[in-house]
Amino acid sequence: MRRLEGKVAIITGAGQGMGAAHARRFIREGARAVITDINKDAGEALAKELGADAHFVAHDVAREADWAFVIAQAEERFGPVNVLVNNAGIIGPGTLVTDLAEKDFERVCAINQTSVFLGTKFVIPSMIKAGGGSIVNISSISGIVAIYGTPNVAYAASKFAVRGITKQVAIEFGGHNIRANSIHPGYIRTPMMTEALDDEQIKIASASVPIKRVGEVEDVSNLVVFLASDEASFITGTEHIIDGGLTAL
């Protein structure tokens, strides 16, 4: 079953990792998608792989002008937008708050938090034209609980903010048939993880999860597709934790 047949989507941070997995899955499920990333080479390669139903736009998610262009490109290519997946994000420096430079805090918040605000601001008029839509914001379990032993106040602040933006938007635009939900992944095997952790550290992380493994990008894509689809038509303003039970401990 093609669960996203006829949907027009925008997926940010789609050059690699979870974003690329979401893009591949959306196309298989029948959507047409504008995929965006600051990495032009990676984004163009993925769009070529996915074919005519995908279009790449180079995109700095923290720039208002870039968002206006992305929405215009989506409408020109495919029509009004039904789905926005705010996936782009960075971890930033893992330092104690007392050692964190203001510029580093602001950079993390710009990419992880301001981007969600801007994407939401610009996509809503397009979704209203489409008759409704689904905004799926990728947060983190760091937007649910503080993680002991991994100091990163900028990341935590930005991911908690995504949760708040999601809830407020759900309340403000539910009457327009626009839904907003946040996803909170735990340990997921992405390039971001493998750059930050060596094999032994990944084994330790796996052992700490009740299911005894780290998640795969496809695990998250399954949830993204569900929230983007009409199957989730009565779900809005909610957090969806996908962490193998880690935050249940």
Side-chain angles (χ1 to χ4, degrees), residues 114-126:
T114 303
S115 67
V116 173
F117 153 67
L118 290 174
T120 300
K121 173 183 176 179
F122 279 93
V123 82
I124 282 175
S126 190

Side-chain angles (χ1 to χ4, degrees), residues 23 26 76 99 128 135 204:
F26 268 53
E76 180 181 330
D99 299 322
I128 291 173
I135 299 169
I204 293 169

Side-chain angles (χ1 to χ4, degrees), residues 3-11 26 30-34 71 74-75 78-85 123-136 176-180 224-225 227-230:
R3 298 159 73 192
L4 301 178
E5 192 73 49
K7 304 285 188 189
V8 175
I10 295 170
I11 304 169
F26 268 53
R32 291 171 293 168
V34 170
I71 300 298
E75 292 193 335
F78 302 129
V81 180
N82 308 102
V83 181
L84 170 63
V85 182
V123 82
I124 282 175
S126 190
M127 286 185 171
I128 291 173
K129 285 189 283 187
S134 174
I135 299 169
V136 182
H176 291 279
N177 195 31
I178 293 172
R179 299 180 294 106
V224 174
V225 167
L227 291 174
S229 76
D230 293 339

Side-chain angles (χ1 to χ4, degrees), residues 24-155:
R24 291 185 177 99
R25 183 68 181 278
F26 268 53
I27 298 303
R28 290 201 303 270
E29 295 285 355
R32 291 171 293 168
V34 170
I35 58 175
T36 84
D37 203 284
I38 201 162
N39 185 331
K40 184 178 179 181
D41 290 342
E44 288 180 342
L46 181 61
K48 183 177 180 180
E49 171 195 327
L50 296 178
D53 286 335
H55 174 63
F56 172 71
V57 178
H59 183 198
D60 180 344
V61 292
R63 292 189 70 245
E64 191 167 27
D66 280 23
W67 271 108
F69 182 70
V70 167
I71 300 298
Q73 283 286 292
E75 292 193 335
E76 180 181 330
R77 291 269 176 164
F78 302 129
V81 180
N82 308 102
V83 181
L84 170 63
V85 182
N86 279 311
N87 171 78
I90 60 171
I91 295 176
T95 60
L96 293 170
V97 64
T98 48
D99 299 322
L100 183 63
E102 181 181 5
K103 65 179 178 60
D104 291 330
F105 180 89
E106 290 177 345
R107 177 172 178 266
V108 172
C109 288
I111 295 171
N112 292 358
Q113 172 183 337
T114 303
S115 67
V116 173
F117 153 67
L118 290 174
T120 300
K121 173 183 176 179
F122 279 93
V123 82
I124 282 175
S126 190
M127 286 185 171
I128 291 173
K129 285 189 283 187
S134 174
I135 299 169
V136 182
N137 295 324
I138 308 299
S139 180
S140 165
I141 57 170
S142 290
I144 299 290
V145 296
I147 307 300
Y148 182 73
T150 55
N152 199 327
V153 71
Y155 188 75

Side-chain angles (χ1 to χ4, degrees), residues 120 124 135 164-174 178-180:
T120 300
I124 282 175
I135 299 169
I165 292 168
T166 302
K167 288 182 175 295
Q168 191 63 39
V169 169
I171 292 169
E172 292 182 7
F173 288 94
I178 293 172
R179 299 180 294 106

